[in-house]
Amino acid sequence: MNAEYVAVWKQVTPELASELVAFWRENNAIGNEANAAVRALQAVSVARDEDGALCGVATAVIKVLPRLRQPTYYFRQYFAKRMRGRNHIRSFHLHAKQVLEDYNASLDKAESLGILLELENTKLATVYNRAYEPAFDSTFIGYSPQ
């Protein structure tokens, strides 16, 4: 199943925000609608299937972790179950990463030094376990408390 990736960073309309809240609710991804509404405003990119239906979303928010003491984009990515296992993880991540990099480059002073990923999927964590992962252009910096 193909998907189209659409950049929405800093351009989330009220209609898209409502669509994202419904998407997360229907997929049992975010149970609290107030939290989902806040997260919707953090959307970087969305994925739409061949019928135009929302099937994936990447979000980011600035966080300063105590161990880094620098602002980073705390990045999340989610796909509907029907889209999993269809090789969208890497390409969608790279798309959203480029959106954030382009935005940062457009600022007089960058707001983030990079993207922070926490792999919660144990299957992905066993596949992508090198210090530097060229497929994602990502570097391992340590384990989180979780």
Side-chain angles (χ1 to χ4, degrees):
M1 184 177 287
N2 291 327
E4 174 189 17
Y5 306 152
V6 181
V8 297
W9 183 241
K10 306 290 185 186
Q11 302 170 46
V12 176
T13 64
E15 295 80 17
L16 177 57
S18 294
E19 188 180 8
L20 285 164
V21 170
F23 171 72
W24 284 315
R25 181 181 56 247
E26 291 162 9
N27 286 278
N28 298 315
I30 301 177
N32 181 299
E33 293 217 4
N35 291 345
V38 170
R39 178 89 54 88
L41 298 177
Q42 301 168 2
V44 176
S45 296
V46 295
R48 295 193 177 277
D49 65 19
E50 291 116 349
D51 297 324
L54 197 60
C55 61
V57 59
T59 63
V61 63
I62 294 284
K63 277 195 176 184
V64 178
L65 296 180
R67 61 197 159 168
L68 291 179
R69 291 184 271 166
Q70 296 293 321
T72 59
Y73 290 120
Y74 186 76
F75 183 85
R76 294 178 176 103
Q77 185 169 297
Y78 181 83
F79 275 99
K81 286 185 182 179
R82 71 182 191 280
M83 296 301 290
R84 296 178 191 166
R86 301 183 184 272
N87 298 318
H88 291 289
I89 293 170
R90 186 179 66 85
S91 59
F92 190 57
H93 168 74
L94 292 174
H95 175 269
K97 180 177 181 277
Q98 190 63 56
V99 170
L100 292 171
E101 286 177 354
D102 290 347
Y103 175 75
N104 241 338
S106 75
L107 301 174
D108 290 336
K109 180 180 181 234
E111 67 179 5
S112 170
L113 80 102
I115 296 173
L116 179 68
L117 302 169
E118 285 185 311
L119 290 181
E120 295 176 358
N121 181 312
T122 54
K123 181 179 175 186
L124 289 178
T126 58
V127 172
Y128 300 110
N129 58 7
R130 296 185 259 179
Y132 174 71
E133 182 51 60
F136 285 83
D137 189 24
S138 298
T139 303
F140 177 77
I141 62 167
Y143 294 97
S144 74
Q146 287 89 318

